[in-house]
Amino acid sequence: MIKKNKILLFWFILLGCLTYSYAQETVNTREVETVAHKMFVDLNNLDYDAILGMTHPKVFDLVSKEQMKTLFMSMFEGNDEFSVEIPKTIPDYKVSDVYIGKENNLEYAFVSYDMSMKMTFNNQEFDEEGKEMMINMMKVQGMDVAFLSNSTMDVLMRDRVTILLKEDATENKWVMINYDPDSPITYQLLSTDLLEKTKEYRQNLLLNSKKESDN
């Protein structure tokens, strides 16, 4: 059970590390909103080649395109362990202002949203104790879980933050990176200054969500 749960958490981390890049000519909030919307549409359509074509090239220094595509297909189309289904809807997302970085012609903005999905385990069922353990494990990762059956659960990842940026290193192309403080990819791709700004933005987002829930 513990080994399978660790594998499951790996897949969620992989999902949270999806990165995309889009070529644009100018910077404004409307363009940021257009890029963010396209990201959700591409994910809904499960267009793997399109996603890989928009992925930050530095990611492929860690995982090849072929390996990444195989992982995506295994996650969304099912494997021996489980399958993941994402609702074909656009989440209610919010886009921040566009900010100017300190160096490298950096320009960036934040996109925040809640992301939901359904996960079905193909060869495993959870008893009440197993369900409680899974719910607690996912909560530590910032995910709310509700079991629909002994093998299927709804998962809600709250207050996700995606960074949209462009700089010299991206050859003036927009790059979208899902912020995950536990992912090494995040720290390899982003500058210290941008990491600090993103951390502050998400902390404020979580604080505002807490205030709303308390009222």
Side-chain angles (χ1 to χ4, degrees), residues 42-58:
D42 290 341
L43 186 58
N44 285 344
N45 292 335
L46 297 182
D47 190 337
Y48 307 118
D49 290 328
I51 293 174
L52 290 172
M54 295 182 291
T55 298
H56 195 297
K58 288 186 179 180

PDB file of all heavy atoms in Angstrom, residues 42-58:
ATOM      1  N   ASP A  42      -5.536  23.015 -24.412  1.00  0.00           N
ATOM      2  CA  ASP A  42      -4.629  21.963 -24.879  1.00  0.00           C
ATOM      3  C   ASP A  42      -4.626  20.772 -23.932  1.00  0.00           C
ATOM      4  O   ASP A  42      -4.586  19.617 -24.372  1.00  0.00           O
ATOM      5  CB  ASP A  42      -3.210  22.512 -25.015  1.00  0.00           C
ATOM      6  CG  ASP A  42      -3.083  23.496 -26.167  1.00  0.00           C
ATOM      7  OD1 ASP A  42      -3.963  23.480 -27.053  1.00  0.00           O
ATOM      8  OD2 ASP A  42      -2.117  24.277 -26.176  1.00  0.00           O
ATOM      9  N   LEU A  43      -4.667  21.044 -22.635  1.00  0.00           N
ATOM     10  CA  LEU A  43      -4.686  19.958 -21.668  1.00  0.00           C
ATOM     11  C   LEU A  43      -6.001  19.187 -21.744  1.00  0.00           C
ATOM     12  O   LEU A  43      -6.021  17.957 -21.681  1.00  0.00           O
ATOM     13  CB  LEU A  43      -4.478  20.500 -20.254  1.00  0.00           C
ATOM     14  CG  LEU A  43      -4.333  19.467 -19.131  1.00  0.00           C
ATOM     15  CD1 LEU A  43      -3.174  18.526 -19.414  1.00  0.00           C
ATOM     16  CD2 LEU A  43      -4.149  20.152 -17.792  1.00  0.00           C
ATOM     17  N   ASN A  44      -7.120  19.906 -21.896  1.00  0.00           N
ATOM     18  CA  ASN A  44      -8.417  19.247 -22.038  1.00  0.00           C
ATOM     19  C   ASN A  44      -8.452  18.341 -23.254  1.00  0.00           C
ATOM     20  O   ASN A  44      -9.063  17.259 -23.233  1.00  0.00           O
ATOM     21  CB  ASN A  44      -9.537  20.286 -22.142  1.00  0.00           C
ATOM     22  CG  ASN A  44      -9.869  20.930 -20.811  1.00  0.00           C
ATOM     23  OD1 ASN A  44      -9.502  20.427 -19.758  1.00  0.00           O
ATOM     24  ND2 ASN A  44     -10.554  22.060 -20.854  1.00  0.00           N
ATOM     25  N   ASN A  45      -7.831  18.780 -24.344  1.00  0.00           N
ATOM     26  CA  ASN A  45      -7.826  18.007 -25.583  1.00  0.00           C
ATOM     27  C   ASN A  45      -6.813  16.867 -25.567  1.00  0.00           C
ATOM     28  O   ASN A  45      -6.794  16.041 -26.493  1.00  0.00           O
ATOM     29  CB  ASN A  45      -7.531  18.922 -26.772  1.00  0.00           C
ATOM     30  CG  ASN A  45      -8.655  19.899 -27.050  1.00  0.00           C
ATOM     31  OD1 ASN A  45      -9.813  19.648 -26.705  1.00  0.00           O
ATOM     32  ND2 ASN A  45      -8.333  21.017 -27.673  1.00  0.00           N
ATOM     33  N   LEU A  46      -5.965  16.826 -24.540  1.00  0.00           N
ATOM     34  CA  LEU A  46      -4.913  15.807 -24.433  1.00  0.00           C
ATOM     35  C   LEU A  46      -4.109  15.714 -25.718  1.00  0.00           C
ATOM     36  O   LEU A  46      -3.810  14.617 -26.222  1.00  0.00           O
ATOM     37  CB  LEU A  46      -5.528  14.441 -24.080  1.00  0.00           C
ATOM     38  CG  LEU A  46      -6.241  14.349 -22.740  1.00  0.00           C
ATOM     39  CD1 LEU A  46      -6.751  12.935 -22.497  1.00  0.00           C
ATOM     40  CD2 LEU A  46      -5.325  14.779 -21.600  1.00  0.00           C
ATOM     41  N   ASP A  47      -3.760  16.866 -26.253  1.00  0.00           N
ATOM     42  CA  ASP A  47      -2.922  16.919 -27.450  1.00  0.00           C
ATOM     43  C   ASP A  47      -1.466  16.863 -27.004  1.00  0.00           C
ATOM     44  O   ASP A  47      -0.812  17.890 -26.795  1.00  0.00           O
ATOM     45  CB  ASP A  47      -3.215  18.206 -28.230  1.00  0.00           C
ATOM     46  CG  ASP A  47      -2.574  18.218 -29.598  1.00  0.00           C
ATOM     47  OD1 ASP A  47      -1.586  17.484 -29.802  1.00  0.00           O
ATOM     48  OD2 ASP A  47      -3.066  18.954 -30.477  1.00  0.00           O
ATOM     49  N   TYR A  48      -0.948  15.642 -26.876  1.00  0.00           N
ATOM     50  CA  TYR A  48       0.387  15.451 -26.315  1.00  0.00           C
ATOM     51  C   TYR A  48       1.467  16.134 -27.149  1.00  0.00           C
ATOM     52  O   TYR A  48       2.395  16.738 -26.600  1.00  0.00           O
ATOM     53  CB  TYR A  48       0.696  13.958 -26.185  1.00  0.00           C
ATOM     54  CG  TYR A  48      -0.343  13.183 -25.431  1.00  0.00           C
ATOM     55  CD1 TYR A  48      -1.060  12.156 -26.046  1.00  0.00           C
ATOM     56  CD2 TYR A  48      -0.629  13.468 -24.101  1.00  0.00           C
ATOM     57  CE1 TYR A  48      -2.017  11.440 -25.358  1.00  0.00           C
ATOM     58  CE2 TYR A  48      -1.589  12.758 -23.406  1.00  0.00           C
ATOM     59  CZ  TYR A  48      -2.288  11.750 -24.044  1.00  0.00           C
ATOM     60  OH  TYR A  48      -3.250  11.044 -23.359  1.00  0.00           O
ATOM     61  N   ASP A  49       1.360  16.007 -28.479  1.00  0.00           N
ATOM     62  CA  ASP A  49       2.379  16.605 -29.334  1.00  0.00           C
ATOM     63  C   ASP A  49       2.383  18.127 -29.200  1.00  0.00           C
ATOM     64  O   ASP A  49       3.444  18.759 -29.200  1.00  0.00           O
ATOM     65  CB  ASP A  49       2.141  16.206 -30.795  1.00  0.00           C
ATOM     66  CG  ASP A  49       2.422  14.729 -31.048  1.00  0.00           C
ATOM     67  OD1 ASP A  49       3.315  14.179 -30.369  1.00  0.00           O
ATOM     68  OD2 ASP A  49       1.753  14.127 -31.897  1.00  0.00           O
ATOM     69  N   ALA A  50       1.180  18.709 -29.087  1.00  0.00           N
ATOM     70  CA  ALA A  50       1.105  20.158 -28.923  1.00  0.00           C
ATOM     71  C   ALA A  50       1.709  20.573 -27.587  1.00  0.00           C
ATOM     72  O   ALA A  50       2.427  21.573 -27.499  1.00  0.00           O
ATOM     73  CB  ALA A  50      -0.352  20.618 -29.020  1.00  0.00           C
ATOM     74  N   ILE A  51       1.421  19.806 -26.549  1.00  0.00           N
ATOM     75  CA  ILE A  51       1.969  20.113 -25.226  1.00  0.00           C
ATOM     76  C   ILE A  51       3.493  20.022 -25.242  1.00  0.00           C
ATOM     77  O   ILE A  51       4.197  20.902 -24.743  1.00  0.00           O
ATOM     78  CB  ILE A  51       1.387  19.168 -24.165  1.00  0.00           C
ATOM     79  CG1 ILE A  51      -0.109  19.447 -23.979  1.00  0.00           C
ATOM     80  CG2 ILE A  51       2.122  19.324 -22.839  1.00  0.00           C
ATOM     81  CD1 ILE A  51      -0.802  18.467 -23.059  1.00  0.00           C
ATOM     82  N   LEU A  52       4.010  18.936 -25.852  1.00  0.00           N
ATOM     83  CA  LEU A  52       5.460  18.780 -25.922  1.00  0.00           C
ATOM     84  C   LEU A  52       6.094  19.875 -26.767  1.00  0.00           C
ATOM     85  O   LEU A  52       7.193  20.343 -26.469  1.00  0.00           O
ATOM     86  CB  LEU A  52       5.804  17.401 -26.502  1.00  0.00           C
ATOM     87  CG  LEU A  52       5.496  16.212 -25.593  1.00  0.00           C
ATOM     88  CD1 LEU A  52       5.685  14.916 -26.342  1.00  0.00           C
ATOM     89  CD2 LEU A  52       6.367  16.246 -24.346  1.00  0.00           C
ATOM     90  N   GLY A  53       5.385  20.301 -27.806  1.00  0.00           N
ATOM     91  CA  GLY A  53       5.906  21.359 -28.651  1.00  0.00           C
ATOM     92  C   GLY A  53       5.986  22.694 -27.935  1.00  0.00           C
ATOM     93  O   GLY A  53       6.726  23.584 -28.363  1.00  0.00           O
ATOM     94  N   MET A  54       5.234  22.839 -26.838  1.00  0.00           N
ATOM     95  CA  MET A  54       5.228  24.084 -26.080  1.00  0.00           C
ATOM     96  C   MET A  54       5.972  23.960 -24.756  1.00  0.00           C
ATOM     97  O   MET A  54       5.976  24.876 -23.948  1.00  0.00           O
ATOM     98  CB  MET A  54       3.780  24.513 -25.817  1.00  0.00           C
ATOM     99  CG  MET A  54       3.025  24.865 -27.088  1.00  0.00           C
ATOM    100  SD  MET A  54       1.325  25.428 -26.787  1.00  0.00           S
ATOM    101  CE  MET A  54       0.568  23.894 -26.217  1.00  0.00           C
ATOM    102  N   THR A  55       6.595  22.810 -24.536  1.00  0.00           N
ATOM    103  CA  THR A  55       7.291  22.587 -23.266  1.00  0.00           C
ATOM    104  C   THR A  55       8.658  23.273 -23.266  1.00  0.00           C
ATOM    105  O   THR A  55       9.351  23.299 -24.286  1.00  0.00           O
ATOM    106  CB  THR A  55       7.466  21.081 -23.033  1.00  0.00           C
ATOM    107  OG1 THR A  55       6.176  20.471 -22.950  1.00  0.00           O
ATOM    108  CG2 THR A  55       8.238  20.804 -21.756  1.00  0.00           C
ATOM    109  N   HIS A  56       9.025  23.818 -22.119  1.00  0.00           N
ATOM    110  CA  HIS A  56      10.328  24.477 -21.991  1.00  0.00           C
ATOM    111  C   HIS A  56      11.434  23.493 -22.389  1.00  0.00           C
ATOM    112  O   HIS A  56      11.512  22.392 -21.875  1.00  0.00           O
ATOM    113  CB  HIS A  56      10.529  24.916 -20.539  1.00  0.00           C
ATOM    114  CG  HIS A  56      11.638  25.907 -20.370  1.00  0.00           C
ATOM    115  ND1 HIS A  56      12.949  25.622 -20.666  1.00  0.00           N
ATOM    116  CD2 HIS A  56      11.616  27.195 -19.931  1.00  0.00           C
ATOM    117  CE1 HIS A  56      13.699  26.672 -20.407  1.00  0.00           C
ATOM    118  NE2 HIS A  56      12.915  27.645 -19.965  1.00  0.00           N
ATOM    119  N   PRO A  57      12.317  23.865 -23.323  1.00  0.00           N
ATOM    120  CA  PRO A  57      13.340  22.928 -23.813  1.00  0.00           C
ATOM    121  C   PRO A  57      14.286  22.424 -22.737  1.00  0.00           C
ATOM    122  O   PRO A  57      14.835  21.327 -22.866  1.00  0.00           O
ATOM    123  CB  PRO A  57      14.086  23.754 -24.875  1.00  0.00           C
ATOM    124  CG  PRO A  57      13.770  25.177 -24.573  1.00  0.00           C
ATOM    125  CD  PRO A  57      12.386  25.184 -24.003  1.00  0.00           C
ATOM    126  N   LYS A  58      14.481  23.192 -21.659  1.00  0.00           N
ATOM    127  CA  LYS A  58      15.377  22.729 -20.601  1.00  0.00           C
ATOM    128  C   LYS A  58      14.841  21.489 -19.893  1.00  0.00           C
ATOM    129  O   LYS A  58      15.605  20.726 -19.305  1.00  0.00           O
ATOM    130  CB  LYS A  58      15.613  23.848 -19.587  1.00  0.00           C
ATOM    131  CG  LYS A  58      16.490  24.979 -20.100  1.00  0.00           C
ATOM    132  CD  LYS A  58      16.793  25.983 -19.007  1.00  0.00           C
ATOM    133  CE  LYS A  58      17.698  27.097 -19.514  1.00  0.00           C
ATOM    134  NZ  LYS A  58      17.994  28.090 -18.447  1.00  0.00           N
TER     135      LYS A  58
END
